Structures are given as structure tokens and as C-alpha cells.
Amino acid sequence: TAAINLYGATLTGGINNSGWIQSGPIPSESKGVIEIKHSRLDGGILNTGTIYSGTDMNAWGNSGYLYSGQGVLISRSTITGGIGNAGLIQSDSYNGMLLVGSSVAGSINNSGTILGWTAGIAIYQSSVSGGIINSGWIQGRGQNPGSQLYGIQVSGSQIAGGINNSGTIVGAGKVGIQAQNSRINGFINTGVIIGDTAGVKLEDTVIAGGIYNAGTILGLSEVGLNVLNSKLDRIANAGAIVGIS
């Protein structure tokens, strides 16, 4: 079961963790260490400790069948004050952080480590007003190319504050950052984005303001930057965009 569960709740002071929060063996993608469903959370979420879903933290590089849920699961909820991580968020089977049908007034700001199996951060049918900011490490570490495995995945969502990466984002099994059917107001990379197939992949997506890269975008087996049926103002590169096959 979840360590912290909010359902149909209103919390005005936020969640601040500087200790250890862990769920036991919960082999379900509908569960998480912290579950926020059909709720409102004012004051945001700040983690400077550890949020862990799994049974053996030291086995994080092995298979995805380690009986865990999501790290942080936010479904049909409103978060004001943003989400910040300067510690560790880890799921051994699913996503480090999953947003579904939710809104975040503020940013998702990571200066720590977010590890998932399917994705580090997955955002579906949601909005994030302050954007996604990463100066730490985000990784989807699953290594089955036939599965949906990403560092960051954005689908059917609006990221009003754009994506700004100065850290490292890795999609070990597929794509570093993938956006589908979404609108993202700006994309800046001064760090490293690596995917097994593509570094960055955009499908049916609008990038207002275009892409600026002064870091490294690397696709280990296919394309560095893959843009499909999408609209963006420009691609400005002062770094390295590399596709290896």
C-alpha cells in the first residue's frame, strides 16, 4: 500500500519530506509511495530526503519486476506551489513521478535524482504552468526497446513554462525526452540528454519559441533530435546533436 494516500482531500500546508518514505511490495501501476487522487494540495511537494517504491534499492539496475508502484502518483488533482526534488525519488517497476489528468501551478524542479523503470517523469493529459526544470539526474532505466521507456515523457499535456535542462536526462531503453500531442513553451538544453534510440523525440507537438541546445543531445542507435509532424519556430544549436547507428 501507499505510504501517504490523499483521496478527495484538501491539504493546505503542502508535503515536505526530509526523511524516508517507502512503500512495500505493491505490484500495481495505480499505486505509489505518495498517492494524491481527486485532491487539492496547496503548498506543493518538496523532497530533500528519500521517496522509494521497491524492495531492494541496491538492485535498481536489474529487471523491472521488483514489485513496486509509482514513486509519486498524482491523478485528477491540483497542486499549487510546484513540486521540488533535491533528494531521491525512485521506483523499481514504474515511473519515478506520474501525473495524470492533473494541474501543477508552479514548476517541477529537480536538482536531485529521479529514477523510474518506465520513465523518470511521465506527464499525461496534465498542465504544468512553471515548466520542467532539471539540474540533477532523471532516468528511465528500463532497457527493453520494445517498451515505452523514457527519461521524461509528456503526452497530451501543456508545459507552459517549457523544459529547461542543465543536468542529465537518460532514457536507457528508448528516448531521453519524448513529447506527443503536447504544447511546450520553449525547450532549452545546456546539459546532457541521452536516449537509446533518440535523444529527443517530438510527435504532433508544438514547441513555442523552438529548441535551443548548448549541451549534448545524443541518440545512441538512431537520431539525436527527431521531429515528426510537429511545429516549432527554430532549432538553434551551439552544442552537439548526435545520432549514432
Side-chain angles (χ1 to χ4, degrees):
T1 59
I4 296 175
N5 177 48
L6 301 179
Y7 188 95
T10 299
L11 184 63
T12 58
I15 295 174
N16 190 326
N17 176 52
S18 59
W20 181 286
I21 303 175
Q22 182 178 358
S23 63
I26 48 172
S28 173
E29 61 183 332
S30 66
K31 296 292 185 179
V33 182
I34 297 177
E35 289 180 30
I36 302 171
K37 298 180 178 180
H38 302 277
S39 296
R40 180 181 179 93
L41 176 61
D42 295 322
I45 299 170
L46 175 61
N47 177 55
T48 57
T50 297
I51 298 171
Y52 174 56
S53 184
T55 57
D56 184 358
M57 180 172 284
N58 294 323
W60 70 270
N62 296 328
S63 75
Y65 300 100
L66 297 175
Y67 300 106
S68 76
Q70 312 287 346
V72 175
L73 171 59
I74 301 169
S75 176
R76 316 295 176 199
S77 296
T78 298
I79 310 293
T80 66
I83 301 170
N85 177 57
L88 172 66
I89 300 173
Q90 178 175 328
S91 168
D92 284 343
S93 296
Y94 294 104
N95 302 288
M97 185 182 301
L98 173 63
L99 276 68
V100 181
S102 297
S103 65
V104 176
S107 64
I108 297 174
N109 191 328
N110 177 57
S111 59
T113 300
I114 300 176
L115 299 173
W117 187 260
T118 51
I121 298 174
I123 300 173
Y124 303 144
Q125 293 81 49
S126 297
S127 63
V128 182
S129 69
I132 301 170
I133 303 166
N134 178 55
S135 58
W137 185 287
I138 299 172
Q139 182 173 354
R141 60 194 189 280
Q143 297 177 357
N144 179 1
S147 300
Q148 303 301 303
L149 306 166
Y150 308 98
I152 295 175
Q153 184 185 23
V154 178
S155 180
S157 298
Q158 295 204 22
I159 312 298
I163 295 175
N164 191 324
N165 176 56
S166 59
T168 300
I169 299 172
V170 180
K174 203 155 194 176
V175 179
I177 297 177
Q178 172 149 315
Q180 301 168 293
N181 301 301
S182 296
R183 181 182 177 90
I184 300 170
N185 290 349
F187 188 113
I188 298 172
N189 177 55
T190 56
V192 177
I193 302 172
I194 301 173
D196 183 65
T197 58
V200 175
K201 185 176 182 180
L202 308 175
E203 294 185 82
D204 302 301
T205 289
V206 175
I207 306 291
I211 294 173
Y212 173 74
N213 177 57
T216 299
I217 299 175
L218 175 61
L220 292 175
S221 62
E222 293 184 10
V223 182
L225 173 60
N226 196 7
V227 181
L228 306 172
N229 302 313
S230 296
K231 182 178 179 180
L232 56 161
D233 295 334
R234 66 185 65 84
I235 297 172
N237 180 52
I241 302 174
V242 181
I244 301 173
S245 60

